[in-house]
Amino acid sequence: MMMNKLFKTSKNIRNLALRFGVSQKFLKLYEYKVNDFFFLKKIKKKDLSRDKYFLYKRALKFGYFSWPKKINKFTHNLDVIDVGCGTGLHAIGYDFFGVKSYTGLDPKIQYDNCNGKNLRKRIYEDFKYSPKDIMKEIDTIHYISGTFEDIDPKNKFDIAVLHNVTEHLLNLEDVLYGISKILKTNGKILFNHHNFFCWNGHHKVPKTIYDIKKNDPIQKNYIDWKHLEIPYDKNSELFKKLNRISIDQLKKLTQKYFLIETWNEIKSTKEYGIERLTPEIIKRHDCYTKKELSIQHIFCIATIK
């Protein structure tokens, strides 16, 4: 009850602040503090070792509770494999929200590296704990620095999750096939896909309208769908790290191995540039539909065939 009341108060303060021109950066900081207040209370109530307490607290401050909380109803008390887990810090959030087990799979995991991405600041910082430290403290967390071939064939999972990973996979079909082979009967895949063709689909700055710097020469290459005009260059990060798959192609590829239960096409908001989609831009990119240019994310849940 108290939580709902404070969140309602938080929303009112946010609306009032926006009305009077308070900066987005300040509002984000305020929302983080409100969010952290409740989670820290919950963490303190748990009977935890000193290291596990600080693991939870550190993961919260780095922004690794939001995604596991969002999908908690789909992962609670299940064996989860996080495909393309990066540095693997979401594991701590999954553990907090009660998964049965967590396996992070990524060929780039470094077991002794304490460097982690702070999702709130968008920079890498010293997390204080390495993947090896995390596995030692939480025995239901396991990391595999490798590919599907490195998973014990006896291990099967209830659900595979991919958080903003599908847009980076140049071998996406191989990965979907690989996932289909490591799931239990009736196992599921859940992914959040960042659409390349939306305002910030380039994954560069500006990522929000609040990041815009009008005189920045680098931003001018990407802003307002300019990234769709960049000619192909195999050595460019835009082509090396993003597969440029369309929404319809992604759906068709998913359906090859899975039966889709949920397919939500989430439209961009003002913060993510939707109001900058002018008739002139639509005309300039008439080889794409307005939907392709407007959709920010795809949220999908599907069951193995």
Side-chain angles (χ1 to χ4, degrees):
M1 187 76 178
M2 182 182 175
M3 183 181 288
N4 291 335
K5 186 176 180 181
L6 191 53
F7 273 118
K8 186 176 181 180
T9 303
S10 172
K11 186 177 179 181
N12 290 338
I13 291 174
R14 176 181 172 83
N15 291 337
L16 189 64
L18 285 171
R19 185 177 172 184
F20 286 96
V22 176
S23 74
Q24 183 72 9
K25 185 176 181 180
F26 175 84
L27 288 174
K28 285 285 185 186
L29 183 63
Y30 173 78
E31 288 172 355
Y32 291 152
K33 285 186 178 297
V34 172
N35 183 61
D36 291 355
F37 173 79
F38 286 108
F39 280 125
L40 285 171
K41 285 186 70 174
K42 288 185 177 182
I43 291 171
K44 287 176 181 177
K45 286 181 180 179
K46 291 178 176 284
D47 183 19
L48 303 172
S49 67
R50 178 182 178 277
D51 277 330
K52 193 167 184 179
Y53 170 79
F54 282 110
L55 269 175
Y56 279 162
K57 190 174 178 181
R58 195 76 175 149
L60 176 62
K61 293 294 183 182
F62 270 55
Y64 285 95
F65 272 34
S66 296
W67 172 245
K69 178 180 182 293
K70 180 178 179 179
I71 63 171
N72 179 45
K73 66 180 179 179
F74 304 111
T75 60
H76 185 74
N77 202 31
L78 296 180
D79 294 312
V80 175
I81 182 163
D82 189 0
V83 179
C85 66
T87 54
L89 298 182
H90 270 123
I92 303 164
Y94 281 113
D95 181 72
F96 180 84
F97 287 104
V99 300
K100 185 177 180 181
S101 72
Y102 169 95
T103 299
L105 178 69
D106 198 303
K108 295 183 179 179
I109 290 175
Q110 299 177 19
Y111 295 115
D112 295 307
N113 189 359
C114 293
N115 210 29
K117 187 174 183 181
N118 188 319
L119 300 181
R120 293 179 175 180
K121 298 179 181 178
R122 300 183 199 160
I123 59 173
Y124 281 85
E125 295 183 335
D126 183 4
F127 186 71
K128 308 295 185 186
Y129 297 88
S130 69
K132 187 181 288 185
D133 296 329
I134 295 169
M135 287 191 287
K136 183 179 179 182
E137 187 59 38
I138 307 176
D139 59 11
T140 53
I141 290 177
H142 182 58
Y143 296 109
I144 300 174
S145 181
T147 60
F148 295 115
E149 288 74 21
D150 299 297
I151 299 174
D152 186 335
K154 296 178 183 178
N155 288 348
K156 298 291 182 181
F157 303 92
D158 296 300
I159 187 166
V161 297
L162 298 91
H163 182 237
N164 293 351
V165 173
T166 47
E167 65 268 22
H168 295 288
L169 299 172
L170 302 183
N171 60 337
L172 179 55
E173 181 168 1
D174 293 339
V175 172
L176 292 178
Y177 172 76
I179 289 171
S180 72
K181 295 300 179 184
I182 60 170
L183 292 177
K184 299 176 185 177
T185 303
N186 297 322
K188 297 182 185 294
I189 184 174
L190 180 155
F191 64 75
N192 192 71
H193 174 84
H194 187 176
N195 175 31
F196 177 81
F197 303 94
C198 71
W199 183 78
N200 65 358
H202 45 72
H203 284 234
K204 302 288 185 181
V205 178
K207 292 189 176 182
T208 74
I209 60 172
Y210 308 106
D211 301 322
I212 294 174
K213 295 179 180 178
K214 293 181 179 179
N215 297 320
D216 188 322
I218 296 177
Q219 287 196 17
K220 287 181 180 179
N221 294 325
Y222 302 102
I223 194 169
D224 293 340
W225 290 269
K226 288 281 185 65
H227 65 290
L228 302 183
E229 301 170 24
I230 297 175
Y232 177 77
D233 178 359
K234 66 179 181 180
N235 296 315
S236 165
E237 284 193 19
L238 205 62
F239 297 93
K240 286 169 64 177
K241 295 188 176 182
L242 295 167
N243 56 30
R244 301 164 63 95
I245 192 168
S246 73
I247 294 170
D248 291 340
Q249 288 171 332
L250 178 63
K251 190 171 188 178
K252 185 176 180 180
L253 198 55
T254 303
Q255 288 173 323
K256 186 171 181 179
Y257 301 101
F258 301 91
L259 298 172
I260 293 176
E261 299 175 6
T262 300
W263 183 268
N264 290 340
E265 297 178 353
I266 302 163
K267 192 174 180 181
S268 298
T269 61
K270 178 182 178 180
E271 180 179 359
Y272 297 113
I274 191 60
E275 292 186 356
R276 300 176 72 90
L277 185 58
T278 63
E280 290 75 21
I281 289 175
I282 293 173
K283 185 177 180 181
R284 190 166 77 232
H285 298 290
D286 58 4
C287 58
Y288 306 108
T289 65
K290 186 177 180 180
K291 183 183 87 167
E292 286 179 294
L293 302 175
S294 302
I295 298 300
Q296 178 79 13
H297 290 104
I298 301 294
F299 180 78
C300 174
I301 303 172
T303 303
I304 187 174
K305 283 186 174 180

